[in-house]
Amino acid sequence: MSELNKEVVDLVWGKPTGGGVSTSIFRRWSQGFVFSEHEQTALKQFEGGPCAVIAPVQAFLLKNILFNRESSTWRKMSEEEQKMALCSTLSEILESACASPSTGFCFVTWAKGQSPHTSTLSKTQTQSQTQDMPRPESSQSPQEQQPTALAAEDLGFEQFHTVLHKLTVLSVSDLREEVLSLYQSWRGCCGVLLFLYSVILTKGIENIRNEIQDPTEPLIDPIHGHGSQSLVNLLITGHAVSNVWDGDRECSGMKLHGIHKQASVGFLTLMESLRYCKVGTFLKSPKFPIWILGSETHLSVFFTKEMSLVGPESPSEQARRVFQSFDPEDNGFIPESLLEDVMKALDLVSEPEYVSLVKSKLDPESLGIILLGPFLLEFFPDQDSGIPDSFPIYHYNGLKQSNHKERVEYVEGTALVLGFEDPMVRTDDTPVKRCLQTKWPYIELLWTTNLSPSMN
C-alpha cells in the first residue's frame, strides 16, 4: 500500500492544515460494522461522521433482507445470517464501484500480524518500516487477532496507514469469497475505513477524481468529519459525482456531472425543502422503496415494504415531473407563456386555440401564471397512482443517542399519501416529514412513538 498511501489519504482526507487528521476525527471513523443488540438487522454508529458509509450500507442491507430473503421475520437474524447479509451487501457495493471488470476488485486490510491487537511493534518501529518488508507472524490465535469494534486507543492516523495491505481478485466469485473471509476485519477496528478504502481502490483513484466536481474537495471533511455528497453517491450508485440531479448540466461552459441511471436505493435531503438543491428522479424514485435521508449533519434511512411506491411512473406523476422541469426554482407555478411547451412535452393537444382556452380556465384572473395543482386537476383529475392510502413505514438512525431510550431500533409508523386537495389529517411539521414531502408533497406520518424519529 505504501505507494498508494499518499494518493488515498489526499483523496479521502484532503491536505488538512497541520499535516494530519485530528485524533478525535480519526477515532470517530475507526469503528467497524456492528449490529445493534436491540435490532438484529440494524447497524450501530458510535459517533458522528461515518454515517456517510454506514447509512448507504444499511440501505443496501435492508434491500437484501427485505426483498432477497424468503423469511417473513426480517427483523430476526442469527449471527450467521448477519454475516451472510452484511458480506453480500459489501460485495454488491464493491461490484457496483468496479469501473472495469478487467482491473479486478481491490481489498484493503491489515498487513499480516498488524491488526490493532496483534502488532507487537512500537509506533516508531512500525512507521520506520517500509510496506514491502515482511511482517512478523503473530503468535496469537486467529480469534485473539480480531480487533474490537471500537478503535484501539494506541492506533493513530499515521500508524493506521503504515499497517495496511492491498489485495486484488479478478472474478466476482473470488470477490464474494474474499469479502466473507474478511468478515472479522469488517466488524472490527477501522472496518468502515478498510471497506471505504477497498471501494476507492476498486473504483480507481483517477476515476473518482474525474467524477468529483472539485478534485481538491476531500471525501471526508478533515475538520468536521462529515462525508461528502460525492462519497454518498459513490456508495449508492458507483459514481462519485458531486450532484444529485439527473444527467449532466452545463454551467458557464463547465460540465457538472449528475446521476445517470435509476439507483437501487434512493436519496432525499432536507436541503431540498430549504431550496438549496433539487434531487433528480433517478435518486428520488429508486428501484426499491428505501431512501437515505440527509439532514444538515447526518444520514438516516426511511424504508417500507410497499413496492407500489416505486412502480412505473403514473401519467400524473410524469406530468408533475415535466411541469417542475419548467419550474426550476420550484415555485409551484410557471409563466403562462410556457404552458404550450409543457402540454407539448406531455403529448397533450397543443393547438394554439386550445392552449388559449386552457390558459383562460387555469388563469381566470389573468395573473400570467399557471399553478401546478389546477393544471394536474384539469388534465389528470382521477388519476390513481397505485399507491395505497396508507402503508407501514420504518425509520433507522444508527446513533444510539438519537434513538428512544438510547437503543438503536427502527421507529415504526404509518404513512398516508393524500391527493392535491387539503389533507383531512394534519400531523406535526417535523424534519423527517419535510424531507419526505420533497418526494410526496401531501404525505402525513403517524409514528407509534410519542416523538417523531430524529434525522440528526
Side-chain angles (χ1 to χ4, degrees), residues 198-257:
S198 300
V199 170
I200 287 167
L201 293 188
T202 295
K203 172 74 178 178
I205 290 172
E206 203 51 43
N207 290 326
I208 292 176
R209 286 206 178 112
N210 290 337
E211 289 176 346
I212 292 178
Q213 198 162 295
D214 177 3
T216 63
E217 181 202 355
L219 294 179
I220 298 172
D221 183 327
I223 308 301
H224 304 291
H226 302 310
S228 69
Q229 188 64 49
S230 297
L231 171 52
V232 176
N233 286 348
L234 172 62
L235 295 168
I236 297 176
T237 69
H239 297 280
V241 296
S242 305
N243 303 297
V244 292
W245 58 60
D246 292 344
D248 297 338
R249 292 185 183 179
E250 290 277 341
C251 181
S252 305
M254 218 171 96
K255 184 177 269 192
L256 306 179
H257 298 298

Side-chain angles (χ1 to χ4, degrees), residues 393-396 403 409-413 447-449 451-453:
I393 55 172
Y394 303 87
H395 182 263
Y396 155 86
N403 282 264
E409 294 178 298
Y410 303 129
V411 180
E412 298 178 56
W447 300 102
T448 54
T449 51
L451 295 172
S452 175

